[in-house]
Amino acid sequence: MKKKIALTDEFWMARALDLARRGVGLAHPNPIVGAVIVKSGRVVGEGFHVYERRDHAEIVALRQAGKRAKGATLYVTLEPCCHTGRTGPCTRAVVAAGISRVVGAMRDRHSVVAGQGFQHLRRAGVAVTIGVGESEAQTLNESFSRWIVSKRPFVTLKTALTLDGQISLRASSATWITSPASRKEVQRMRHVADALLTGIGTVLADDPRLNDRSGLPRRRRLLRVVLDSRLRLPLRSELVRSAENDLLVFTGESPASKKARALIRAGVEVVRLRTRRGRIDLRDVIRELGRREILSVMVEAGAELNGAMLEAGLVDKMVLFYAPKIMGGSGVPMARIPSRFFAKSPLLTNLKLRACGPDFVLQGYFHPPAPGRDSREKN
């Protein structure tokens, strides 16, 4: 006998969240949103947002539902918009369709919405419940929520290391530390990111490709970003040879130099930023990426850049892939950072620990997503 599933708000919101995840890599620079319309315990319409298709998830679901939307409940992972942008207000369409109740996971932090969408629905007589599936929805849109408020990308530092905190045997990390399962998970993380950031030291040591090999569709290519203050990037490197308007080099050298011109001819974008003590200003890097509508950055680098990013306070989230191995004293530490940093080091919070093949993954936040103010709020 099959166990009967309770069709609760949580059940239907889980379905909306699953739909939203199908928009990962396809919604940029818009948020990732899923919507489900339910009437008499049955789905009559559903959808998720894809930027190229323009329509928001609610509109896709409403069109599928048609006249069946009248008197139904809409489950949506993000507050419906109430302004005109590329499309008209979703709140107006929801009311016009006769939806009687809206269950939203979280507020939209965009200043032109920020709770007003839910208010518009309530004023129109629609019952509103907020906060169902809020934590999952916030995680899905943590990058959008950061960028839309501050115009700076959400930064995740990812690294693979041994139990004693080493990332490689020598300056090169060419020897794999973690398992194929962990490396597959890293490709999934790259697919979620808009940009991948590394330093010239990693490029010279490993000659990596730094591309998205997940095989999943994405609206635009993963932007590969290299910090190279003295413009040492080899013209025959894997990065340069595979450049297709997806390789950006920040340097302290002039873009008019002979080396810069050669890189530009090879399809590399070269941007000069100010340097301090021979190093590129990391805050300028993050600001410039934000200006380019890069919502999320994943750092895959060596000890020097890892340490510099942490010391500058630019890391929002850390994902550490631990192999159950001991390397010993000959290894390279995860981050080279002055000992004085320990006294002021922020705590990693919202910790989660999970297995990944034979490895385990520790995830936490230095700057966690803002908690919802409307958790479980009803009319």
Side-chain angles (χ1 to χ4, degrees):
M1 182 177 177
K2 291 184 179 180
K3 185 178 179 181
K4 189 175 181 179
I5 299 173
L7 303 182
T8 61
D9 285 348
E10 287 77 9
F11 175 86
W12 295 119
M13 185 59 75
R15 181 161 180 160
L17 287 163
D18 283 342
L19 282 166
R21 293 184 185 99
R22 292 169 64 181
V24 171
L26 301 174
H28 181 280
N30 288 348
I32 300 163
V33 185
V36 176
I37 299 174
V38 178
K39 188 172 185 179
S40 302
R42 301 185 67 173
V43 174
V44 295
E46 60 184 17
F48 61 96
H49 178 59
V50 173
Y51 184 85
E52 301 295 353
R53 297 179 192 163
R54 299 179 71 91
D55 285 338
H56 292 183
E58 302 95 313
I59 304 303
V60 176
L62 286 170
R63 283 182 175 164
Q64 191 179 109
K67 293 180 179 179
R68 295 173 295 175
K70 188 172 182 179
T73 297
L74 167 66
Y75 294 87
V76 63
T77 60
L78 185 68
E79 177 179 11
C81 67
C82 53
H83 66 288
T84 299
R86 294 175 76 226
T87 63
C90 287
T91 51
R92 184 186 301 165
V94 168
V95 172
I99 292 287
S100 62
R101 180 176 178 236
V102 170
V103 180
M106 62 176 285
R107 282 179 181 248
D108 189 338
R109 297 193 69 195
H110 195 308
S111 60
V112 298
V113 185
Q116 295 179 66
F118 288 135
Q119 289 176 16
H120 285 198
L121 292 171
R122 284 171 170 151
R123 285 197 294 267
V126 178
V128 175
T129 299
I130 310 167
V132 178
E134 183 175 36
S135 177
E136 295 89 342
Q138 285 180 340
T139 299
L140 266 180
N141 279 306
E142 59 192 9
S143 299
F144 172 80
S145 294
R146 169 59 52 78
W147 183 82
I148 203 66
V149 171
S150 66
K151 291 297 183 285
R152 57 150 285 191
F154 187 89
V155 178
T156 299
L157 192 155
K158 186 283 305 178
T159 193
L161 63 168
T162 58
L163 293 176
D164 54 344
Q166 312 297 310
I167 60 173
S168 68
L169 282 168
R170 297 174 296 279
S172 171
S173 57
T175 301
W176 294 114
I177 290 178
T178 51
S179 66
S182 290
R183 298 199 291 274
K184 183 177 180 180
E185 177 66 9
V186 169
Q187 292 302 320
R188 186 200 64 79
M189 291 177 62
R190 287 185 181 181
H191 176 68
V192 173
D194 293 336
L196 192 60
L197 175 66
T198 197
I200 186 60
T202 296
V203 176
L204 295 176
D206 302 337
D207 194 22
R209 285 174 290 171
L210 300 177
N211 55 349
D212 176 0
R213 298 190 293 279
S214 67
L216 298 170
R218 59 186 304 144
R219 178 174 169 253
R220 65 183 197 180
R221 296 172 70 92
L222 175 69
L223 180 65
R224 301 172 293 171
V225 183
V226 179
L227 306 188
D228 185 6
S229 59
R230 289 181 287 156
L231 217 53
R232 293 182 290 159
L233 179 63
L235 290 169
R236 297 300 299 166
S237 65
E238 286 281 356
L239 283 172
V240 175
R241 287 191 295 173
S242 62
E244 293 184 36
N245 297 315
D246 62 350
L247 180 57
L248 171 61
V249 175
F250 288 121
T251 184
E253 300 294 314
S254 169
S257 69
K258 182 178 179 181
K259 179 64 175 291
R261 292 199 306 271
L263 288 170
I264 292 168
R265 285 194 298 271
V268 180
E269 183 179 4
V270 178
V271 174
R272 185 179 190 178
L273 293 179
R274 61 180 176 176
T275 58
R276 292 180 180 179
R277 297 178 182 176
R279 293 187 175 184
I280 296 167
D281 191 301
L282 294 177
R283 289 183 175 81
D284 285 352
V285 169
I286 297 302
R287 273 193 291 268
E288 175 61 19
L289 292 176
R291 188 188 68 78
R292 293 167 178 250
E293 293 191 340
I294 297 297
L295 277 58
S296 58
V297 174
M298 188 161 83
V299 179
E300 288 193 48
E304 298 293 340
L305 183 53
N306 285 347
M309 291 292 293
L310 289 166
E311 189 177 13
L314 294 174
V315 177
D316 298 301
K317 180 179 182 179
M318 289 190 73
V319 182
L320 307 175
F321 287 80
Y322 280 94
K325 305 173 184 176
I326 301 293
M327 186 171 288
S330 63
V332 176
M334 183 199 78
R336 288 199 174 93
I337 198 165
S339 57
R340 65 177 181 273
F341 178 75
F342 180 76
K344 62 178 182 179
S345 174
L347 291 175
L348 203 61
T349 62
N350 296 25
L351 297 177
K352 291 184 179 179
L353 187 67
R354 57 185 171 86
C356 189
D359 310 320
F360 65 92
V361 185
L362 178 65
Q363 172 185 301
Y365 292 84
F366 287 123
H367 309 120
R373 293 176 292 172
D374 294 318
S375 185
R376 291 297 175 172
E377 177 189 309
K378 299 181 180 180
N379 262 10

